[in-house]
Amino acid sequence: RVSAFVFIFLSLPEYAEFLHCKSKKFTDFDEVRQEIEAETDRVTGTNKGISPVPINLRVYSPHVLNLTLIDLPGITKVPVGDQPQDIEYQIKDMILQFISRESSLILAVTPANMDLANSDALKMAKEVDPQGLRTIGVITKLDLMDEGTDARDVLENKLLPLRRGYIGVVNRSQKDIDGKKDIRAALAAERKFFLSHPAYRHMADRMGTPHLQKVLNQQLTNHIRETLPSLRSKLQSQLLSLEKEVEEYKNFRPDDPTRKTKALLQMVQQFGVDFEKRIEGSGDQVDTLELSGGARINRIFHERFPFELVKMEFDEKDLRREISYAIKNIHGVRTGLFTPDLAFEAIVKKQVVKLKEPCLKCVDLVIQELINTVRQCTSKLGSYPRLREETERIVTTHIREREGKTKDQILLLIDIELSYINTNHEDFIGFANAQQRNTQTNKKRAIPNQVIRRGWLTINNISIMKGGSKEYWFVLTAESLSWYKDEEEKEKKYMLPLDNLKIRDVEKGFMSNKHVFAIFNTEQRNVYKDLRQIELACDSQEDVDSWKASFLRAGVYPEKDQENTFSMDPQLERQVETIRNLVDSYVGIINKSIRDLMPKTIMHLMINNTKDFIHSELLAYLYSSADQNSLMEESADQAQRRDDMLRMYHALKEALNIIGDISTSTVSTPVPPPVDDTWLQTSSGHRSVCPPPQRRSAVLPPGRPPAVRGPTPGPPLIPIPAGGPSSFAAPPIPSRPGPQNIFAANNDPFSAPPQIPSRPARIPPGIPPGVPR
């Protein structure tokens, strides 16, 4: 876990606060160190575990920069303790998340006693900043180089040039830290080192921590100035997007009775409009993912219900047996020469009675869709839970009341059909034509070449040797069933004529979640290649029923069992066939009438009645069911959302005011011209096989890289140690006014603004080092 705290101090800060314990102010920085270590151990354990969540520490002092600092860890090559095996890649990803931001400045820190070409910090900075516009190089540990060597060529930007060049610093040694050497004395020693070193004295004014701070201040100033226009545009855009919603909250008074009455009327009116749109259809806010509301009810009326009628109608074996029994029982001991009318009426009435079950089932399906529609519409009332609950209860109760009246009316329609068998109906074939009639001639197909349905289906029973089951795009017309490679319908795989085809059910496979039905030829011919039937699979039973209904429209019906369980004499067989044809004709007339009247009855008695109830009576029921104050009591989530939105709105306005107040007269420096940095390519170079240099901070356990986050909210500087050395990145967010001038530039180490060491090795006495998590 990356620790984040400030180590840029000229003197001790006044106090500090941790994000994880805001209520406590730390003035003793030994306690700060202890709290960092304790929080680290609480999250990651005591065996060098890591976590990407930072420890946030805010430091308040007139002697620190108004910046946010984020110290990122060095790249650990080999995991130790409880660290994961991919520790190197995790840390790299963590670093890239911060330095990839275009608004960040990267301070890439490399020790002088390390081969610069192997610097992980520089290589990673190059990945996200290939033009070098955001990268500043820092060379540390100049005092530890071997005798007779120096980093002059590097610092003069000659050896391995960077666009913004390099700055050298000398920090306190571990001995200085242990001895609590004062940072002012350390800065004086650093100044003396550069002035007295023969390789650096000519550039001493451009070296050291004070100059680094000056450069950072200047670059941050430039960066802020450059990003302010885009930041201002973004804030203005966010503000405009909130204006409409915030307008109703500006003068909001939760307990105002007038507001509650107005809101109640608006909510009920909107609920009625939404319900009607979902039932009748609407051009706005159309659901493109699935059917809903009126579209699902329409499918029940014209696909599901007709299919249920056909399933009930085509039980051929039982029907013929019942007709033969009826004829025999009417004749009694006599052998009848003529076909009896009573047998026809008895069988017709029995078939008509069977209509009750699919009709009542249709009502139940419509009721379920209506209740689902009500729930979808009441979801907009979520701001007022009590109102939503009462609205849903009242409307659902009304639908249930209409259920009984609708079912009674439908049963009445069926009873009316039973009360009188009208053999003079114009569509009835009569006895004269019954004997010559072939049942198939009555099955009219749709218009030739008319496309009835398109969609994906899986052919389920192709053997594995031939590729196994595969999904195709099917097109069903009135004359054929074709399937294609895809929905563009360019590559046709096969076309199957519908003549002599029937449908049968297939049991769902044990290991399959698909629902299957089959198509076969009644003349026992192969349907497709060497298959006697093709099994077609869908994702749901609802899809299967819908496809079956489409096949019915094309004239492909479920199979009939023609097998007789007993033999009939020729005369009786002719009579059974005659009655069968008469029953088929008359039941067809009844079915046609029921299919027409069912949707009309349900629409009139249930759906339209419910719409009228919502528009005219719902409000009165709500007023009588509960107190208005309790009905319009806001949910906690809505109140929180309103508060958050208002807070965000005012924060955006304040941010725009702050940006408007920022002086644009600060002197800026031009971006340095490009340099030849071909030496620094992400794919070139090699990594040192030697272990990275050991940091000089004694409090850092091995394998647990530190990271630092800075003081008050402002432009973050992100130190990024890579393989031991560090680097920084600094997103330029406009800083808040403070007691110090963040744009100050002064080379006097005793009067300059707070300094920025390159790593947490040189920390003033009493200031905790960065303890990694």
Side-chain angles (χ1 to χ4, degrees):
R1 188 175 185 183
V2 181
S3 66
F5 70 98
V6 177
F7 64 90
I8 301 178
F9 302 112
L10 265 180
S11 60
L12 291 179
E14 295 179 357
Y15 68 93
E17 290 180 345
F18 283 98
L19 188 64
H20 63 271
C21 48
K22 289 183 178 179
S23 58
K24 183 177 180 180
K25 292 184 179 180
F26 293 81
T27 55
D28 183 348
F29 277 78
D30 283 332
E31 292 184 14
V32 172
R33 177 187 288 105
Q34 294 169 8
E35 179 60 29
I36 291 173
E37 294 175 349
E39 177 68 7
T40 300
D41 292 342
R42 278 194 291 269
V43 176
T44 66
T46 58
N47 195 19
K48 305 178 182 61
I50 66 167
S51 169
V53 181
I55 298 175
N56 294 274
L57 177 65
R58 180 171 293 179
V59 175
Y60 297 86
S61 171
H63 304 294
V64 295
L65 280 174
N66 197 12
L67 304 172
T68 298
L69 305 176
I70 305 173
D71 184 12
L72 296 172
I75 297 177
T76 300
K77 305 293 185 180
V78 179
V80 296
D82 292 334
Q83 292 177 346
Q85 293 300 311
D86 61 343
I87 178 68
E88 178 180 0
Y89 303 103
Q90 286 192 24
I91 292 178
K92 281 185 178 180
D93 290 341
M94 188 191 311
I95 294 172
L96 289 172
Q97 288 176 12
F98 288 95
I99 67 174
S100 297
R101 300 170 185 167
E102 290 297 326
S103 58
S104 298
L105 287 180
I106 305 170
L107 189 57
V109 184
T110 307
N113 56 0
M114 174 185 177
D115 183 1
L116 195 64
N118 291 330
S119 170
D120 288 326
L122 286 173
K123 295 187 71 175
M124 294 188 71
K126 179 66 174 179
E127 290 179 20
V128 298
D129 181 30
Q131 302 300 320
L133 297 175
R134 300 187 288 118
T135 304
I136 301 172
V138 176
I139 303 299
T140 66
K141 301 185 181 180
L142 292 167
D143 56 331
L144 299 183
M145 296 187 71
D146 293 338
E147 187 175 353
T149 64
D150 59 62
R152 176 173 176 172
D153 288 345
V154 173
L155 295 175
E156 290 181 345
N157 211 25
K158 294 178 180 178
L159 180 62
L160 302 173
L162 284 177
R163 190 165 187 172
R164 294 190 182 274
Y166 298 85
I167 297 174
V169 295
V170 176
N171 294 320
R172 295 180 302 170
S173 66
Q174 188 60 53
K175 181 179 179 182
D176 293 337
I177 295 173
D178 295 339
K180 298 185 178 182
K181 182 178 181 179
D182 184 73
I183 194 169
R184 296 177 185 272
L187 291 172
E190 179 187 45
R191 176 72 170 167
K192 181 179 179 181
F193 172 82
F194 284 112
L195 287 173
S196 61
H197 199 290
Y200 308 132
R201 66 177 58 154
H202 68 288
M203 57 176 115
D205 289 340
R206 292 181 284 114
M207 296 291 116
T209 304
H211 181 71
L212 174 61
Q213 182 197 2
K214 175 183 175 181
V215 170
L216 286 178
N217 279 339
Q218 185 64 65
Q219 298 305 328
L220 284 172
T221 301
N222 294 345
H223 215 42
I224 290 171
R225 286 162 54 88
E226 291 168 3
T227 56
L228 277 182
S230 61
L231 180 60
R232 182 186 291 111
S233 298
K234 183 177 180 180
L235 293 176
Q236 288 173 339
S237 175
Q238 291 178 338
L239 190 68
L240 288 175
S241 67
L242 290 178
E243 281 281 3
K244 187 176 179 180
E245 288 187 77
V246 169
E247 188 63 35
E248 60 181 286
Y249 295 147
K250 285 182 178 178
N251 302 313
F252 187 83
R253 290 180 294 169
D255 298 325
D256 183 2
T258 305
R259 181 201 63 80
K260 289 186 175 182
T261 302
K262 182 180 178 181
L264 176 60
L265 292 173
Q266 289 176 338
M267 290 287 186
V268 172
Q269 184 180 17
Q270 186 62 45
F271 171 75
V273 171
D274 290 344
F275 183 82
E276 186 164 355
K277 281 184 177 181
R278 284 185 175 271
I279 297 297
E280 299 295 338
S282 171
D284 59 337
Q285 298 180 352
V286 176
D287 189 345
T288 59
L289 299 178
E290 61 178 0
L291 294 179
S292 61
R296 293 180 68 89
I297 293 175
N298 179 276
R299 188 163 72 174
I300 293 171
F301 286 158
H302 302 296
E303 289 188 8
R304 188 74 180 269
F305 179 59
F307 181 67
E308 294 294 332
L309 292 181
V310 170
K311 284 200 303 184
M312 179 272 309
E313 176 187 351
F314 279 84
D315 193 352
E316 188 74 12
K317 176 181 174 182
D318 290 342
L319 180 60
R320 288 180 176 274
R321 183 171 60 248
E322 290 173 3
I323 292 173
S324 67
Y325 284 145
I327 293 174
K328 289 179 180 180
N329 288 331
I330 290 172
H331 287 161
V333 296
R334 295 170 287 116
T335 302
L337 299 176
F338 302 100
T339 305
D341 291 358
L342 291 177
F344 163 72
E345 288 197 10
I347 298 300
V348 164
K349 289 182 178 180
K350 189 167 184 179
Q351 293 299 310
V352 172
V353 168
K354 291 180 180 179
L355 293 174
K356 292 183 177 181
E357 183 180 349
C359 288
L360 296 179
K361 183 177 180 180
C362 179
V363 175
D364 291 336
L365 292 173
V366 172
I367 287 172
Q368 189 58 51
E369 290 303 331
L370 282 178
I371 292 175
N372 289 340
T373 302
V374 169
R375 288 173 180 164
Q376 290 169 352
C377 294
T378 56
S379 63
K380 291 187 177 181
L381 309 180
S383 301
Y384 304 96
R386 178 71 172 149
L387 175 62
R388 177 179 182 176
E389 180 184 340
E390 281 299 301
T391 301
E392 194 170 309
R393 181 188 65 80
I394 291 170
V395 178
T396 301
T397 300
H398 179 78
I399 292 174
R400 291 298 182 187
E401 290 174 355
R402 301 306 300 176
E403 174 187 0
K405 295 181 180 180
T406 305
K407 286 183 175 179
D408 289 343
Q409 182 63 32
I410 288 170
L411 294 177
L412 178 62
L413 289 176
I414 295 175
D415 289 340
I416 290 172
E417 295 289 354
L418 291 170
S419 65
Y420 180 67
I421 307 300
N422 182 18
T423 55
N424 288 323
H425 194 283
E426 60 183 4
D427 293 334
F428 186 60
I429 61 172
F431 276 87
N433 298 322
Q435 291 182 343
Q436 289 81 25
R437 180 181 173 85
N438 188 319
T439 57
Q440 280 300 110
T441 61
N442 193 41
K443 311 301 181 184
K444 297 180 181 180
R445 285 185 176 172
I447 301 172
N449 299 323
Q450 176 189 3
V451 175
I452 297 174
R453 189 185 183 103
R454 287 183 169 94
W456 291 98
L457 286 171
T458 300
I459 300 181
N460 205 49
N461 58 328
I462 299 178
S463 66
I464 297 178
M465 297 296 294
K466 297 182 178 180
S469 60
K470 192 172 182 181
E471 194 174 32
Y472 293 101
W473 178 259
F474 279 75
V475 178
L476 174 64
T477 70
E479 295 182 342
S480 65
L481 177 68
S482 305
W483 53 94
Y484 299 80
K485 180 180 179 181
D486 53 43
E487 51 195 313
E488 293 183 1
E489 299 181 15
K490 292 182 179 179
E491 186 177 339
K492 182 183 289 187
K493 293 296 184 180
Y494 197 76
M495 186 181 75
L496 177 64
L498 299 184
D499 296 332
N500 302 317
L501 293 186
K502 296 290 182 183
I503 298 175
R504 66 163 56 115
D505 292 325
V506 177
E507 290 187 7
K508 183 178 176 181
F510 177 72
M511 297 296 291
S512 173
N513 57 357
K514 295 276 189 178
H515 298 261
V516 187
F517 67 99
I519 297 176
F520 68 98
N521 192 297
T522 55
E523 298 180 354
Q524 302 300 315
R525 296 177 182 175
N526 289 345
V527 178
Y528 174 57
K529 295 184 178 180
D530 58 346
L531 300 177
R532 286 299 179 93
Q533 69 177 24
I534 53 173
E535 298 178 2
L536 303 177
C538 303
D539 291 331
S540 67
Q541 185 60 44
E542 187 177 19
D543 290 339
V544 169
D545 293 342
S546 182
W547 270 101
K548 286 181 178 179
S550 299
F551 275 105
L552 291 180
R553 290 178 57 198
V556 179
Y557 292 87
E559 65 177 324
K560 301 176 183 179
D561 190 350
Q562 301 287 356
E563 179 186 354
N564 292 321
T565 56
F566 57 91
S567 60
M568 293 187 288
D569 61 71
Q571 182 176 340
L572 177 60
E573 191 169 344
R574 284 194 299 272
Q575 292 178 353
V576 168
E577 185 64 25
T578 299
I579 296 294
R580 171 67 186 85
N581 290 337
L582 291 172
V583 169
D584 186 65
S585 174
Y586 196 81
V587 169
I589 294 171
I590 301 295
N591 285 352
K592 184 178 180 180
S593 176
I594 291 296
R595 283 200 303 268
D596 181 59
L597 287 175
M598 273 289 293
K600 295 176 179 178
T601 304
I602 293 174
M603 284 296 299
H604 175 69
L605 293 178
M606 182 176 294
I607 298 176
N608 290 341
N609 182 276
T610 301
K611 288 192 295 184
D612 293 340
F613 173 81
I614 291 172
H615 285 299
S616 60
E617 300 182 52
L618 174 59
L619 188 60
Y621 273 87
L622 285 170
Y623 271 118
S624 62
S625 67
D627 177 63
Q628 181 185 349
N629 288 329
S630 64
L631 273 180
M632 302 308 295
E633 190 172 317
E634 273 191 311
S635 67
D637 291 342
Q638 174 64 14
Q640 183 65 42
R641 180 176 179 274
R642 183 180 67 253
D643 292 342
D644 290 345
M645 188 171 295
L646 288 172
R647 192 180 300 111
M648 173 67 75
Y649 178 80
H650 292 305
L652 288 172
K653 292 191 70 174
E654 183 181 357
L656 285 171
N657 290 334
I658 292 174
I659 290 176
D661 292 340
I662 292 178
S663 172
T664 57
S665 62
T666 307
V667 178
S668 61
T669 57
V671 178
V675 296
D676 180 12
D677 59 356
T678 54
W679 62 273
L680 188 57
Q681 299 296 332
T682 57
S683 60
S684 66
H686 63 279
R687 296 191 180 276
S688 173
V689 296
C690 300
Q694 177 63 38
R695 287 177 179 254
R696 290 184 292 178
S697 175
V699 293
L700 297 181
R704 297 173 71 172
V708 180
R709 177 165 295 173
T712 56
L717 286 174
I718 311 177
I720 314 167
S726 303
S727 56
F728 289 85
I733 302 170
S735 58
R736 300 184 301 179
Q740 77 288 350
N741 176 9
I742 66 168
F743 302 136
N746 192 320
N747 286 330
D748 183 353
F750 296 101
S751 61
Q755 311 306 311
I756 309 177
S758 62
R759 51 189 165 81
R762 302 298 177 92
I763 298 174
I767 304 302
V771 181
R773 291 205 174 184

